[in-house]
Each structure stands twice: as structure tokens, then as C-alpha cells.
Amino acid sequence: MPGSAHEPASPPAYVRLGGAADTDVVARMFFELWPEGPLAEHREDAALILAGAPPSTLPLVVFVAEARGVVVGFIEVGLRSHADGCDTRRPVGFIEGWYVEPSRRGSGVGRALMRAAEEWTRSQGCRELASDTWIDHESSQRAHEALGFEVVDRCVNFKKVLQ
Ligand SMILES: CC(C)(COP(=O)(O)OP(=O)(O)OC[C@H]1O[C@@H](n2cnc3c(N)ncnc32)[C@H](O)[C@@H]1OP(=O)(O)O)[C@@H](O)C(=O)NCCC(=O)NCCS
């Protein structure tokens, strides 16, 4: 839904749905957030999502925060069929990624992005929004809590390569 926009109460930044023109800056921020993946792969993903053709079966969008014409953060939000601690009978919104440039943190940009993600999730007919973060990432946990999220679970992921 290009053109939809969300204004924070005291605008530290303007939040809008990302579009194809944001591909380079969003890909770079994907890489800042998830440096384990190659930039080229992030660029492919960003291009698909921002063009409205996400590599997922359920809807997935990216909102960007702009300050004086410069993109300073993004939130990637999509639907999942279920999420830990949520009502298993209906899809939920899920925060796949949330990032603000280090120099812009602590001034309400993250909150404005989260508000846009919440509004989008409601518009998809969902009643719950879920998210996750790394177990040792205290600042992200505090930010989630400040915005009304509650911890539902802590887990350790395993894998085993089958011969
Ligand atoms: C998490 C992140 C997106 C928050 O963005 P931000 O612009 O700094 O957030 P805001 O300034 O809007 O703060 C939102 C709320 O979280 C709180 N908060 C943010 N960072 C915090 C921290 N390090 N410690 C405690 N509270 C914090 C703020 O106090 C604010 O609550 P308040 O309005 O009640 O004071 C940003 O810090 C970031 O990009 N971090 C690195 C990437 C990351 O961890 N992403 C999340 C996992 S995907």
C-alpha cells in the first residue's frame, strides 16, 4: 500500500511505507542488523519486499523512518501463522527486524516505527504483535518492554546435520 504514512506525535522522523527507491539504504541497514548474511543477499530480499513481492507466503512489508529526507531506520513486519505465547487460532503480526542508525537512537524513532508496524498489523485483522531478539541483547529487550511487549519465552536453538 504505497503512499500510506504515519506521523509520530512530536515528529523526530517521518515514517512511511518503504518503496523500491529505498532498496540500497534498507539493504545496508539489513546488513548492519544481520551482518552474518552477505550484503548481496540482503539487497535481493530488500528489493523484493520493497517492490511488494516479498519472498514469503504471508504479507511482509518494510516501513522506513526519514529525517530531513534521509532514511534513518526501518522496521520489517509481516504476518506469521503463529508465534510463541500468542493465540494459536489466528495469524499474528511479527517484527522481523527493527533498526535505527546509532546516532539517531534514543530520540523516539524506534517508537514511531513500532507504531507504524502496530497499525499495519491491525489493518491486517490481527490482534497480537510478536517479536524476538537475542538473549544477550539487553538494550533491545528494554526497548521492547518500554513499548509494551512482555517476555513469553526464552529459548536456545539447536540444529543437527543429518547424514
Ligand atoms: C531497538 C532500537 C530499534 C530502538 O530504537 P530507538 O530509536 O533507540 O528507540 P526509541 O528512542 O524510540 O525508544 C523507544 C523506547 O525504548 C526505550 N529504549 C530504547 N533503547 C533503550 C535502552 N538501550 N535501554 C532502555 N530503554 C531503551 C526508550 O526509553 C523508549 O521508551 P520511552 O519512550 O518510554 O522512554 C534501536 O536501539 C536499535 O536499532 N538497536 C539495534 C538493533 C536492535 O537491537 N534491534 C531490535 C532487535 S531486531
Side-chain angles (χ1 to χ4, degrees):
M1 49 179 188
S4 130
H6 304 261
E7 287 279 8
S10 69
Y14 169 75
V15 176
R16 61 172 172 78
L17 196 64
D22 303 305
T23 301
D24 285 343
V25 66
V26 168
R28 183 188 52 76
M29 290 191 292
F30 277 13
F31 184 64
E32 298 289 336
L33 184 60
W34 300 298
E36 62 285 356
L39 180 59
E41 221 169 82
H42 287 313
R43 198 177 187 291
E44 258 174 53
D45 278 350
L48 289 169
I49 299 167
L50 293 165
S56 58
T57 49
L58 293 174
L60 178 68
V61 294
V62 166
F63 287 94
V64 295
E66 223 181 63
R68 295 195 179 90
V70 176
V71 173
V72 296
F74 81 88
I75 196 159
E76 181 183 331
V77 56
L79 297 192
R80 287 194 181 186
S81 58
H82 62 280
D84 287 345
C86 294
D87 186 343
T88 53
R89 292 166 300 181
R90 48 194 310 145
V92 295
F94 199 94
I95 303 299
E96 303 291 350
W98 183 31
Y99 178 85
V100 172
E101 296 284 15
S103 65
R104 295 294 311 222
R105 290 178 193 164
S107 62
V109 178
R111 178 179 280 278
L113 285 163
M114 190 60 79
R115 186 183 306 133
E118 288 181 19
E119 284 173 16
W120 178 85
T121 299
R122 265 190 224 100
S123 78
Q124 299 295 308
C126 297
R127 293 185 192 157
E128 290 173 307
L129 179 60
S131 182
D132 60 8
T133 191
W134 300 277
I135 206 151
D136 58 351
H137 204 128
E138 287 290 328
S139 62
S140 164
Q141 292 174 33
R142 297 294 84 77
H144 278 88
E145 285 164 1
L147 297 184
F149 286 85
E150 55 178 311
V151 175
V152 292
D153 205 358
R154 292 182 189 276
C155 75
V156 178
N157 298 318
F158 294 99
K159 83 163 183 181
K160 178 176 180 178
V161 177
L162 299 176
Q163 306 297 331

